[in-house]
Amino acid sequence: MNTNPEEDFEDEEVEMFEHYRIIIDKGQTLTRIDKFLSEKIANATRNKVQQAIDAGSVLVNGSPTKANYKIKPLDDIRVMLEKPPKETEVYSENIPLDIIYEDPYLLLVNKPPGMVVHPAHGNWSGTLVNGLVYYFENLPEMKGNTGRPGLVHRIDKDTSGLLVIAKTEEAMTHLASQFFHHTIDRTYIALVWGEPNEDEGTITGNVGRSAKNRKVMDVFPEGDQGKHAVTHWKVLKRLRYVTLIQCNLETGRTHQIRAHMKYLGHPLFNDAMYGGDKIRKGTQFSKYKTFVQNCFDLMPRQALHAQSLGFIHPTTKEKLFFEVPLPSDFQSVLDKWESYVNFE
């Protein structure tokens, strides 16, 4: 019987969760699935398993199950559970947070560009999580949640915009299930090099780590490597040498928009990792080169903003939708491009 976590989950919404696949032995006797999983998976209490089942995060032979289901020989069971807190201490830091919504179960944060989401090698302080730990410590009703501030998904350091944070284990389980099943509505705004031939389109191409540079994601259109990824995009404004677009994610792979737009031939403006930090379209005039460099200096990051999130509230079951405007650096660069095009 295989109860090992699946090792290939590197996506933005599942990094904080463990995935298991269990094939039941031929000689297995009929046993309730919640009891079976709580005994077989480390750190999985029966209550935690039941919450995962209620959230649709436990599948038997590809379909959601119920806690009283009795497992049978050769059943194929897939489980997604929140990872237990690491022993490494996360230090509390008084970092200002732009909280746009909060209730007893969750909160929405508008992350500024340049802020790392969670501590990791080279970034043990100054992260969103350090700020969340401080914030939770100063909320009496949040006792017991210190050190595990409910991170359900993430966005890159230099990407700005919305993140939803779970404040209870039940909320985390339900939100994680929505991300896992791709039912979260997510809209990103991006400024890309060049002008797409069409006004809208869909990019379908597996995304996986490059063999040449493990920090970069490549697109594998034949599907022989990487993981299934779908990005829907449409043009919002054409600015001659660059284009403002909207992207809606059907999946949430690491660097998905950045890799997909490069694959389409329109890398994100000033995205150094994917070749957008060089002039990819325009004239050879020194005035134009100076203008572009000024834009790079004004927004020294990729032009990507997580504008909106829509999801089902884990407790009230109400459909919620949140949206935040472009940050000042992005808006300033956009204004400069509009002026350049209009008065060139």
Side-chain angles (χ1 to χ4, degrees), residues 289-312:
K289 293 179 180 179
T290 299
F291 165 77
V292 173
Q293 186 58 55
N294 287 340
C295 289
F296 286 164
D297 293 341
L298 190 58
M299 184 174 57
R301 64 178 182 100
Q302 69 264 11
L304 185 61
H305 175 64
Q307 183 185 53
S308 70
L309 276 176
F311 54 89
I312 302 298

Side-chain angles (χ1 to χ4, degrees), residues 29-294:
T29 58
L30 295 179
T31 306
R32 278 179 60 114
I33 191 169
D34 55 347
K35 180 176 185 294
F36 173 83
L37 292 177
S38 64
E39 293 174 351
K40 294 297 181 182
I41 299 177
N43 301 304
T45 64
R46 195 161 180 175
N47 182 59
K48 187 173 183 177
V49 169
Q50 288 172 347
Q51 288 183 350
I53 290 172
D54 291 341
S57 298
V58 178
L59 305 180
V60 177
N61 303 321
S63 300
T65 189
K66 295 183 178 180
N68 63 359
Y69 172 80
K70 293 187 177 180
I71 61 171
K72 298 187 292 291
L74 301 182
D75 273 347
D76 185 342
I77 302 174
R78 291 176 181 264
V79 185
M80 181 175 72
L81 292 175
E82 176 195 355
K83 286 184 179 179
K86 293 183 179 180
E87 294 180 3
T88 305
E89 183 178 359
V90 178
Y91 293 102
S92 165
E93 294 183 69
N94 185 5
I95 299 171
L97 301 176
D98 183 7
I99 297 173
I100 67 167
Y101 174 84
E102 182 177 9
D103 65 26
Y105 312 99
L106 54 87
L107 58 85
L108 272 290
V109 176
N110 184 16
K111 187 189 83 67
M115 175 183 280
V116 175
V117 171
H118 56 81
H121 181 70
N123 291 288
W124 295 112
S125 64
T127 74
L128 176 67
V129 165
N130 294 114
L132 288 169
V133 171
Y134 177 89
Y135 186 68
F136 287 159
E137 283 180 345
N138 287 272
L139 290 174
E141 67 270 22
M142 284 309 299
K143 247 182 201 183
N145 217 26
T146 301
R148 44 178 304 187
L151 207 60
V152 182
H153 64 129
R154 61 193 173 102
I155 55 180
D156 296 330
K157 171 187 175 183
D158 289 327
T159 298
S160 56
L162 284 172
L163 285 164
V164 59
I165 309 298
K167 292 172 63 175
T168 68
E169 189 168 322
E170 179 184 7
M172 174 170 281
T173 300
H174 278 267
L175 289 169
S177 178
Q178 292 181 63
F179 273 102
F180 183 67
H181 294 294
H182 311 308
T183 58
I184 298 279
D185 295 324
R186 285 177 288 175
T187 298
Y188 287 76
I189 302 298
L191 187 67
V192 302
W193 278 108
E195 289 194 88
N197 293 329
E198 307 295 331
D199 287 334
E200 60 183 50
T202 296
I203 308 169
T204 301
N206 282 21
V207 171
R209 295 201 178 274
S210 169
K212 297 179 180 179
N213 182 352
R214 299 295 290 172
K215 292 183 178 181
V216 174
M217 308 301 284
D218 281 342
V219 176
F220 302 93
E222 302 301 322
D224 54 332
Q225 297 181 56
K227 287 178 278 187
H228 178 64
V230 180
T231 302
H232 304 286
W233 62 270
K234 69 176 181 179
V235 171
L236 297 179
K237 187 174 292 186
R238 296 179 182 272
L239 296 166
R240 192 174 303 173
Y241 305 129
V242 295
T243 303
L244 188 69
I245 65 169
Q246 173 182 306
C247 293
N248 292 89
L249 298 183
E250 195 169 300
T251 54
R253 310 309 183 194
T254 300
H255 294 184
Q256 179 174 318
I257 293 173
R258 301 167 68 184
H260 268 175
M261 293 313 298
K262 178 187 178 183
Y263 171 73
L264 197 64
H266 300 286
L268 269 60
F269 186 78
N270 209 13
D271 188 349
M273 191 172 288
Y274 290 89
D277 61 338
K278 301 176 179 62
I279 295 178
R280 302 294 296 264
K281 195 78 173 177
T283 72
Q284 296 299 314
F285 297 125
S286 59
K287 180 181 177 182
Y288 175 72
K289 293 179 180 179
T290 299
F291 165 77
V292 173
Q293 186 58 55
N294 287 340

